[in-house]
Amino acid sequence: MTTKDKYKKVAYYPGCALEGTGHAYNRSTKAIGKELGLELVEVENWNCCGAMEVKNIDPKIQTYLSSRVMSVAANEMDMDVVMAPCNGCYHNLKKAEYDLANDADSAQVVDRLSKKAGHKTYESGQVETIHALDWIKDTIGEDGLRERVKNSLSGIKIANYYGCMYTRPRHIFPEKDSGPGSESTSKPHFMDDLLEAAGAENVDFPLKTACCGGAHTLSDSDTSTKLVLNILKTAKLAGADVIATECPTCHTGLEMHQIRAEKTLGEKVDIKILYFTQLLGMALGLKPKKVGVHENISDSMRFLKEKGLA
Amino acid sequence: MPIHEKSLIRPENLTTHDELVLDGVDVSGHWSTFIESRVVNDYNEAMEDEIAALPGGEYIHRCWQCGSCTNSCTVHAINPDFNPRFWIYLIRMGMESELLRDKDIIWQCVSCNKCTYACPRDVVPEGVMKATAHWLEMKGHTPKSPSMHFDEVFTEQIVATGKIEESRTIRRFFKRTSQGLMQPWMVEMVKRMLKHLPIGMLTRMGLATLVAPRTSNWSNAASAIQEYIDEQHAEQEKALSLPELIDAAQKDAAA
Ligand code: SF4
Ligand code: SF4
Ligand code: SF4
Ligand code: SF4
């Protein structure tokens, strides 16, 4: 099977954020999957991957939590690809995969906890974890998108924001720096490629993988606000109308601290924040509601109307 | 002091005398500013091993002080006092009192892993920051940081239910850190959220708060995880000699 076919039906791991603040991302991911004829089978009775917080308490517990998700996909659903749209989930599953393959202690703890919890221990290599970007890029690709675009995104200037967890640390994503056509950990470009195929104009944005301070969004809000403000202003200076996101935590972080910067520092940066799946969905002819634009905190309806997308 | 090195000397180590004559020479005033010599004699030799025993600190011994971590650091860019390379140096030298000067900002590492990306020695400085912040708390040098409270609230919820329901996590976190939920920017955010949400969505969110999502058949996993966490805590405390310390203190109190 080529990569293309293998990704056409994948186990879908939405993660907690996509059931809460990131619901628009969930909605738009499912909507474009349906539109493009890709099948998403949700991981049955999934649990949280452990996020950053559990890792801080104990990294091996986070490895276990992520491994359980992969174990369900592999052993109970017989799937070999897990697709996670959340950078946090994607990163954690990749990290668990790496730890299980390279660290005997982690493998032992995971085995012990899995047995006690009463499910099969996940063995490294049973599934491949991919991000929503890989999913679209490898099944439909730029050419496929170009053929399907009904409402070109032309005239929309976009700064693509990938955040930290999609590329760092690089050792857990060996495939990313594997030569021509692959994603890069220093200058990721998959989101740029897809949006450009849908007609958008990508601006030269130097902060693609900058950090928004998401780890302390509530526990050290002033730091997060400063970091977000820097990202928003830089995107604006680069000439962007929209920041495209591919992670619910990054997305919500930008939206929250855009408001916080306005309220606490009096700094208002007028830039729209949309998930790449929302932009692609509208390019494919879906109505803004279908891709959850009304569920975003930042309001972009008037802008979308001006651009002929709503 | 008209020399550029002034920035390298702490103000409390600089002395200017209004009237001082030494061996018949007048050394008063600005031009005869003295720098007090600094003596370090309180090395804590156990510090590096203790931090290395906590999760994330394992590879601290590999550091060769190139400074790439500090150079690439997100927090360093907004606060020059945040300096992972320097702290790793102090820890490895055992210079505890020097490290304690920065104790209240170490937890502010945002885990962006730029340092991990840049480090040529695979030290994982991000992990060292977490281990150091834990060490400071376990040794009682700092109170629990807001970030630690958040991690705990979050982890407790996962152990209990297998999943995170955000609004509940946020409410518990604010309660634990005694912050008001009604901060103006939060109110504004919720206001904007409500503006566009259809009633159906609101009900769905309300239901999520009432009927918190959970993974079914989770209880065995929950008890296995809790058991593991407790075990690890006990081991870490042992590595930091905390039980012995408590024992000694109790004996001391009884005597
Ligand atoms: S990374 Fe976030 S969204 Fe993903 S499962 Fe973990 S907590 Fe949930
Ligand atoms: S950019 Fe922010 S939310 Fe996104 S991964 Fe980094 S810290 Fe997390
Ligand atoms: S980058 Fe690595 S080797 Fe260099 S100073 Fe930092 S921790 Fe040490
Ligand atoms: S992970 Fe922490 S120490 Fe490392 S670069 Fe980011 S903020 Fe700095």
Side-chain angles (χ1 to χ4, degrees), chain B residues 193-207:
Chain B
M193 273 165 83
L194 297 186
K195 209 163 100 193
H196 297 284
L197 285 179
I199 300 296
M201 180 69 185
L202 285 181
T203 332
R204 202 183 61 79
M205 282 169 56
L207 282 179

Side-chain angles (χ1 to χ4, degrees), chain B residues 27-80:
Chain B
V27 287
S28 342
H30 192 70
W31 289 100
S32 300
T33 295
F34 288 83
I35 302 167
E36 277 174 30
S37 54
R38 192 162 56 97
V39 182
V40 183
N41 55 9
D42 58 341
Y43 291 100
N44 175 352
E45 287 174 23
M47 186 159 61
E48 181 181 0
D49 289 342
E50 289 178 356
I51 288 177
L54 299 178
E58 296 87 343
Y59 307 120
I60 186 171
H61 63 279
R62 293 178 180 168
C63 174
W64 61 20
Q65 288 292 302
C66 70
S68 301
C69 47
T70 298
N71 246 334
S72 60
C73 178
T74 300
V75 180
H76 178 74
I78 51 176
N79 177 7

Side-chain angles (χ1 to χ4, degrees), chain A residues 21 48 55-56 116 170, chain B residues 112 117 126 134 162 166 227:
Chain A
T21 43
C48 173
K55 185 223 80 184
N56 291 344
K116 284 201 177 159
R170 71 184 129 193
Chain B
C112 67
Y117 194 94
E126 184 266 346
H134 274 163
E166 292 156 330
E227 182 189 287

Side-chain angles (χ1 to χ4, degrees), chain A residues 52 87-88 161-166 168 209-215 231 247-251 253, chain B residues 110-112:
Chain A
M52 177 112 47
N87 274 354
Y161 180 58
Y162 298 79
C164 325
M165 314 266 271
Y166 179 67
R168 286 189 297 268
T209 64
C211 174
C212 73
I231 292 166
C247 164
T249 323
C250 303
H251 183 99
Chain B
V110 289
S111 291
C112 67

Side-chain angles (χ1 to χ4, degrees), chain A residues 16-17 19-21 23 27 45-48 50-61 64-65 68 91 109 112-113 116-117 164 167-171 177 185-186 209-211 213 215-216 218-221 223 226-227 256-257 259-260 262-264 294-295 297 299, chain B residues 55-56 74-75 78 107-114 116-118 126 130 134 146-148 150-152 154-155 158 162-164 166 170 173-174 179 184-186 188-189 192-193 195-198 201 204 213-218 220-221 224-225 227-229 231-232 236:
Chain A
C16 313
E19 293 202 331
T21 43
H23 195 262
R27 191 189 290 277
N45 192 30
W46 52 265
N47 56 276
C48 173
M52 177 112 47
E53 286 75 5
V54 176
K55 185 223 80 184
N56 291 344
I57 301 283
D58 194 303
K60 293 196 175 72
I61 302 271
Y64 162 69
L65 290 168
R68 181 186 174 278
H91 173 278
V109 170
R112 170 181 146 188
L113 293 177
K116 284 201 177 159
C164 325
T167 55
R168 286 189 297 268
R170 71 184 129 193
H171 64 268
D177 290 311
T185 51
S186 55
T209 64
C211 174
H216 296 327
L218 292 172
S219 44
D220 185 11
S221 308
T223 299
K226 273 187 215 154
L227 294 172
M256 267 172 70
H257 290 279
I259 295 174
R260 196 169 181 275
E262 199 180 313
K263 286 277 147 188
T264 60
H294 58 295
E295 290 173 332
I297 303 173
D299 188 3
Chain B
T74 300
V75 180
I78 51 176
W107 67 272
Q108 288 177 319
C109 160
V110 289
S111 291
C112 67
N113 271 313
K114 288 194 176 176
T116 311
Y117 194 94
E126 184 266 346
K130 292 294 162 208
H134 274 163
S147 164
M148 185 64 176
F150 195 78
D151 295 343
E152 284 182 357
F154 197 98
T155 306
I158 294 178
K163 283 186 184 176
I164 285 297
E166 292 156 330
I170 294 172
F173 167 72
F174 275 72
Q179 298 182 60
W185 68 276
M186 289 273 266
E188 178 66 26
M189 195 178 74
R192 292 194 198 176
M193 273 165 83
K195 209 163 100 193
H196 297 284
L197 285 179
M201 180 69 185
R204 202 183 61 79
R214 43 171 68 239
T215 309
S216 42
N217 298 320
W218 185 248
N220 286 342
I225 296 172
E227 182 189 287
Y228 179 78
I229 293 182
E231 213 180 274
Q232 290 300 308
Q236 288 164 8

